[in-house]
Amino acid sequence: MRFGFVTCVQLGLSCMEAIYDVGGKLDLAITLEDDMAQAKSGRIYLDDFCGQNGVDLLKVRNINNQTAVAAIQERSIDWLFIIGWSQIARAELLASPTQGVIGIHPTLLPVGRGRAAIPWAIIKGLDQTGVTMFKLDDGVDTGPIIAQRVIPLAADCDAGKLYAAVNDAHVDLIREVFPRLRDGTIEPRAQDDRFATEWPGRTPQDGSIDLAGSVFEAERLVRATTRPYPGAFVDRANGRLVIWRAHRADRIADTTEMTGAQPPVIHFSDGMLVVDEWEWQEKSN
């Protein structure tokens, strides 16, 4: 079997390293041109890795261009991994490897197809989530499942902790599955669409806390949108309180006004949210 890998972020590079950790090798790596996505979170460059391991490296502006398709076909790539890549692979690219294209999605598919998987898992109060390695098709996260890894969600799990666990699970899945891909012994199974759910994308404005809602929902929103995400917040006339950490309380002896000068307490009909870590952003004129 011959393998290719498409990535431009640290998570993808960690997965590439994992392939070599289990005695595998890559025959092609594809990444973005150096001047693209320079501000992207986790952006990395593959020159050193590919040079050290003798991997052919191709830099593209779009994964679907003819240069990428031709490179895959000319090298007779059997399996192509695409991890940490925002461009959607089109039909011609998906058909270029002889066996198919592999992606990893941070939910237990078919649950949670779509976007913002880490925040949604916490907002929805799930007791577990996971990652799914699957064969890409022309749908959105609908392809046959190759393997899955379950991630339990503790009551205090936040986006930072889950983000790290998801990244670790990506690497673990690569180490577990790659030998079977190389030996041709995997048996992908179709997703059961009866259990499919779709989660929509989220924007920074979706971090707005509903003061007329529940303290339980607010506390989950804080955990779901903390770093590396933009944070939950409450807007006031003179600025915005961005909340990175908070905990619920039934009562508190010393309540303070939400001015940004003292640790704020936010009152709800069913309890209070005590803010432990916050950032006050003054309103610009």
Side-chain angles (χ1 to χ4, degrees):
M1 291 286 184
R2 296 174 63 83
F3 295 87
F5 209 106
V6 180
T7 194
C8 64
V9 297
Q10 180 58 52
L11 174 58
L13 178 56
S14 297
C15 290
M16 293 170 71
E17 292 168 341
I19 288 172
Y20 280 78
D21 289 344
V22 296
K25 67 182 291 290
L26 294 169
D27 300 282
L28 174 66
I30 303 177
T31 192
L32 288 176
E33 294 279 4
D34 290 352
D35 64 337
M36 297 181 67
Q38 293 178 339
K40 182 180 177 69
S41 177
R43 172 73 157 106
I44 49 86
Y45 301 87
L46 300 179
D47 303 71
D48 289 346
F49 177 90
C50 290
Q52 293 165 6
N53 292 285
V55 181
D56 290 345
L57 176 61
L58 174 66
K59 298 181 181 182
V60 299
R61 304 198 78 79
N62 192 299
I63 190 59
N64 297 292
N65 68 30
Q66 286 302 310
T67 303
V69 170
I72 295 164
Q73 294 174 341
E74 289 168 2
R75 289 164 179 79
S76 300
I77 298 300
D78 295 300
W79 287 107
L80 180 71
F81 292 93
I82 300 182
I83 294 177
W85 194 266
S86 58
Q87 298 166 349
I88 295 173
R90 299 188 187 129
E92 186 178 15
L93 188 283
L94 294 176
S96 295
T98 65
Q99 299 296 314
V101 179
I102 293 173
I104 299 181
H105 184 71
T107 71
L108 295 173
L109 292 174
V111 173
R113 294 171 178 171
R115 306 291 298 279
I118 289 174
W120 278 124
I122 297 171
I123 290 169
K124 292 176 178 292
L126 303 183
D127 58 9
Q128 69 176 27
T129 184
V131 294
T132 301
M133 180 183 287
F134 68 110
K135 184 177 178 181
L136 272 62
D137 60 14
D138 58 3
V140 178
D141 304 324
T142 56
I145 294 170
I146 296 171
Q148 294 181 309
R149 179 64 61 95
V150 174
I151 300 174
L153 289 177
D156 64 347
C157 184
D158 63 26
K161 295 174 183 176
L162 182 51
Y163 191 91
V166 163
N167 284 5
D168 289 345
H170 274 67
V171 173
D172 289 344
L173 269 184
I174 290 286
R175 288 177 174 148
E176 172 192 325
V177 173
F178 187 86
R180 291 191 284 132
L181 288 169
R182 181 179 53 200
D183 297 342
T185 58
I186 65 159
E187 296 181 0
R189 57 182 173 85
Q191 294 187 36
D192 189 337
D193 289 338
R194 294 176 301 167
F195 302 104
T197 59
E198 295 185 9
W199 296 350
R202 295 180 60 83
T203 70
Q205 283 303 115
D206 291 322
S208 178
I209 292 175
D210 181 6
L211 298 178
S214 166
V215 68
F216 295 92
E217 294 172 351
E219 189 270 341
R220 283 200 298 267
L221 184 62
V222 169
R223 289 190 285 110
T225 58
T226 192
R227 299 179 182 91
Y229 298 106
F233 64 88
V234 174
D235 281 332
R236 286 292 184 255
N238 59 335
R240 171 173 290 184
L241 180 75
V242 181
I243 304 170
W244 300 115
R245 286 191 305 110
H247 65 276
R248 298 190 309 271
D250 293 329
R251 62 177 64 87
I252 192 166
D254 181 22
T255 59
T256 56
E257 291 299 319
M258 209 164 20
T259 63
Q262 298 293 330
V265 176
I266 306 174
H267 295 262
F268 296 85
S269 61
D270 56 350
M272 291 175 284
L273 190 69
V274 183
V275 179
D276 301 309
E277 182 182 347
W278 77 99
E279 176 184 339
W280 182 256
Q281 299 176 352
E282 295 288 344
K283 185 176 182 180
S284 58
N285 295 324

